[in-house]
Amino acid sequence: MNNNTRENFGSKLGAVLAAAGSAVGLGNIWRFPIETGQNGGAAFIIIYVACVFLLGIPIMMSEFFIGRHTQTNTAGAYRKLAPGTPWKWVGRLGVLSGFIILSYYSVVAGWTAEYTRLAIGNCFDGKSAADFPTIFSAFVSNPWKSVLWMVAFMLITHVIVVRGVKSGIEKFSKVMMPALFVILVVLAVCSIMLPGASRGIEFLLKPDFSKISGAVVLNAMGQAFFSLSLGLGCLCTYASYFRSDTNIGKTALNVALIDTFVAIMSGFIIFPAVFNAGYAISSNDIGPSLLFITLPSVFQQAFGSIPMLSYGVSVLFYFLLVVAALTSTISMHEVVTAYVSEEFNMPRRKAATIVTIACSVVGVFCALSFGPFADFKLFGMNLFDLFDYVASNIFLPVGGMFISIFTGWYLDKKLIRDEITNNGTLRVPYLRFVIFILRYFAPIAIAIILLNQLGLFSWF
Ligand code: PFF
């Protein structure tokens, strides 16, 4: 595909909603509340927000201007900016990360679809807390169900990606993101009105600084990365469809604000209900158990006095997860599809089909790692956990670190200034600060996260 036929997002709002759709996902509604619950409530949120602003927004701006300047997929972007150098491997690593994350993320996304079906069928009604672990383990260990839902989710993603940037990704984001905000606010209001909700709210808003440690700071940074979809060129690929008048700084700020808003609102849905039902977020809630074992039970207990309410809350909540997951899987699929299509000179539909088939095959192994392949372990982890670990804890931080080094040290500062100011037409007073962060703070901070996660360095 040459640049003349390349599509663009039709509007600035469409571009913001598509990028926000990528950022808002299971990471916000599932990982963020757990991290908050285990790391000192509001104290964690303060550090997380600092990471979003000090690290997330500058790196997001880098991804945006690399993508918009080069108007090509993430691997092609580095080749164009640094021809004949190994920098193209940063883009390729991003494509590989997108492929791996899409393969296992679609498995959990499929689970959210099955739980939406169960909620619509009123299958949680009358169940006790002890029933939910059994329901979940019966589902995930059933090879057919898990695989079929994963494939179904991949196919829906495929259909939207094949329709293209404007009539697929942008159109879908413009309908689904507002729907997501409405559902989020309705659920948060229902939860806040529960008796005893104030304890949940206090937990979210009253910082317990005694829980803060080096490890907590590192978790907050890792969460900010995953949640903002940074480090794999996803936002770089989306930015390659931005129009030339898109304000990069403002778009990055909007995406970060929307993503943080959704994460905090998820806390307002989950904590008042969890406290009302007398649960405590525990270390068992790591992984899928919060979403698929604790919460269905919490919703029954907290809203059970009005049966229609517990039904409505459960249906809306799982549907919210489906929508959030789908806007994220679309963005990961697009990273790989754009790469295959442009680097191997293939029509978009054919490239998307190859990506869908390849990711589904790998996804089958991830889905089965909770059933028939549960005993197949590498480095003590099943395939699903291994992929999650390698992609989120290693590939994303490595990608983010190289992106900041690339922009902070390799690229010409004039090019950066021209891109961010739209050739001098925008005033961007914080530009020097952003460049400072990209040169010094981001690479060092990310190197610390990485070494810590690999266990090569312990900071406290
Ligand atoms: N940001 C998504 C979430 O919070 O669930 C996850 C994600 C999407 C990560 C897209 C990476 C990516 F490229």
Side-chain angles (χ1 to χ4, degrees):
M1 208 191 280
N2 72 37
N3 284 347
N4 298 331
T5 58
R6 220 163 183 275
E7 275 193 281
N8 275 343
F9 286 119
S11 65
K12 289 181 195 165
L13 178 68
V16 171
L17 290 179
S22 169
V24 170
L26 298 174
N28 301 61
I29 305 170
W30 159 42
R31 261 180 86 163
F32 180 82
I34 297 175
E35 296 276 348
T36 306
Q38 293 183 333
N39 294 316
F44 175 84
I45 297 183
I46 293 170
I47 296 173
Y48 174 81
V49 171
C51 292
V52 167
F53 280 85
L54 290 180
L55 203 56
I57 293 180
I59 294 184
M60 196 184 295
M61 288 174 70
S62 296
E63 290 210 21
F64 279 169
F65 70 70
I66 292 173
R68 192 185 61 178
H69 182 77
T70 54
Q71 308 255 303
T72 186
N73 69 88
T74 179
Y78 287 91
R79 225 196 22 247
K80 255 190 182 173
L81 285 169
T85 67
W87 280 108
K88 59 178 173 295
W89 285 99
V90 176
R92 289 181 183 165
L93 179 75
V95 174
L96 180 67
S97 314
F99 179 86
I100 292 178
I101 301 180
L102 178 59
S103 303
Y104 74 80
Y105 196 93
S106 302
V107 174
V108 185
W111 296 349
T112 65
E114 163 72 356
Y115 269 61
T116 308
R117 189 189 70 80
L118 292 176
I120 291 173
N122 206 10
C123 299
F124 302 143
D125 189 37
K127 299 278 186 302
S128 75
D131 296 324
F132 288 99
T134 322
I135 296 174
F136 182 64
S137 56
F139 166 56
V140 292
S141 56
N142 177 328
W144 288 111
K145 274 194 177 169
S146 215
V147 167
L148 282 179
W149 275 118
M150 181 276 297
V151 173
F153 214 92
M154 201 74 88
L155 285 178
I156 299 172
T157 307
H158 174 87
V159 169
I160 297 165
V161 170
V162 162
R163 292 177 67 108
V165 174
K166 215 180 270 174
S167 33
I169 300 173
E170 180 173 3
K171 208 164 160 193
F172 183 80
S173 309
K174 273 180 151 170
V175 176
M176 283 306 175
M177 290 309 284
L180 184 142
F181 297 137
V182 172
I183 297 174
L184 199 70
V185 172
V186 168
L187 287 176
V189 169
C190 289
S191 213
I192 287 169
M193 283 165 61
L194 283 169
S198 56
R199 277 178 298 136
I201 297 170
E202 189 183 310
F203 178 77
L204 263 181
L205 299 182
K206 203 166 142 204
D208 173 3
F209 285 109
S210 68
K211 290 246 173 79
I212 295 301
S213 63
V216 171
V217 176
L218 299 175
N219 279 350
M221 283 202 248
Q223 172 63 19
F225 243 81
F226 185 83
S227 187
L228 294 171
S229 307
L230 292 178
L232 53 71
C234 188
L235 297 180
C236 173
T237 305
Y238 270 15
S240 70
Y241 309 121
F242 282 0
R243 293 187 331 201
S244 56
D245 61 348
T246 306
N247 183 331
I248 284 178
K250 209 166 136 194
T251 307
L253 179 67
N254 283 334
V255 171
L257 287 177
I258 292 173
D259 191 65
T260 308
F261 171 77
V262 174
I264 293 176
M265 288 301 272
S266 305
F268 276 107
I269 296 171
I270 291 172
F271 289 113
V274 164
F275 275 79
N276 171 283
Y279 278 79
I281 299 273
S282 72
S283 49
N284 294 335
D285 286 312
I286 281 286
S289 105
L290 174 76
L291 284 192
F292 301 105
I293 296 174
T294 308
L295 284 181
S297 166
V298 161
F299 291 151
Q300 288 308 304
Q301 289 183 44
F303 301 102
S305 55
I306 309 173
M308 273 319 281
L309 190 61
S310 63
Y311 176 82
V313 165
S314 301
V315 171
L316 279 182
F317 182 76
Y318 287 103
F319 181 67
L320 173 77
L321 288 172
V322 168
V323 173
L326 193 51
T327 49
S328 295
T329 52
I330 290 169
S331 69
M332 291 178 233
H333 199 298
E334 179 60 29
V335 174
V336 194
T337 297
Y339 168 76
V340 175
S341 158
E342 292 173 356
E343 296 294 298
F344 298 94
N345 221 349
M346 222 180 254
R348 185 178 178 83
R349 177 179 292 274
K350 188 170 170 199
T353 307
I354 293 175
V355 174
T356 300
I357 294 174
C359 281
S360 301
V361 170
V362 179
V364 167
F365 289 97
C366 295
L368 295 181
S369 56
F370 293 90
F373 296 166
D375 293 332
F376 175 77
K377 299 218 158 126
L378 279 172
F379 305 107
M381 289 180 257
N382 68 26
L383 202 63
F384 179 100
D385 292 335
L386 183 71
F387 277 1
D388 186 24
Y389 182 84
V390 171
S392 339
N393 294 355
I394 302 177
F395 287 2
L396 293 192
V398 168
M401 188 171 75
F402 281 120
I403 289 168
S404 43
I405 294 172
F406 184 66
T407 29
W409 295 93
Y410 183 86
L411 285 184
D412 179 14
K413 299 293 155 295
K414 178 169 170 354
L415 185 145
I416 301 176
R417 202 174 314 116
D418 288 348
E419 269 306 318
I420 293 190
T421 61
N422 289 354
N423 289 321
T425 54
L426 296 174
R427 235 179 58 78
V428 183
Y430 51 87
L431 186 61
R432 292 181 76 167
F433 177 67
V434 168
I435 292 179
F436 170 81
I437 298 254
L438 292 170
R439 266 176 99 90
Y440 304 103
F441 179 70
I444 295 171
I446 297 166
I448 293 173
I449 304 181
L450 199 64
L451 294 176
N452 186 80
Q453 274 167 343
L454 292 175
L456 299 176
F457 168 83
S458 186
W459 184 28
F460 68 107

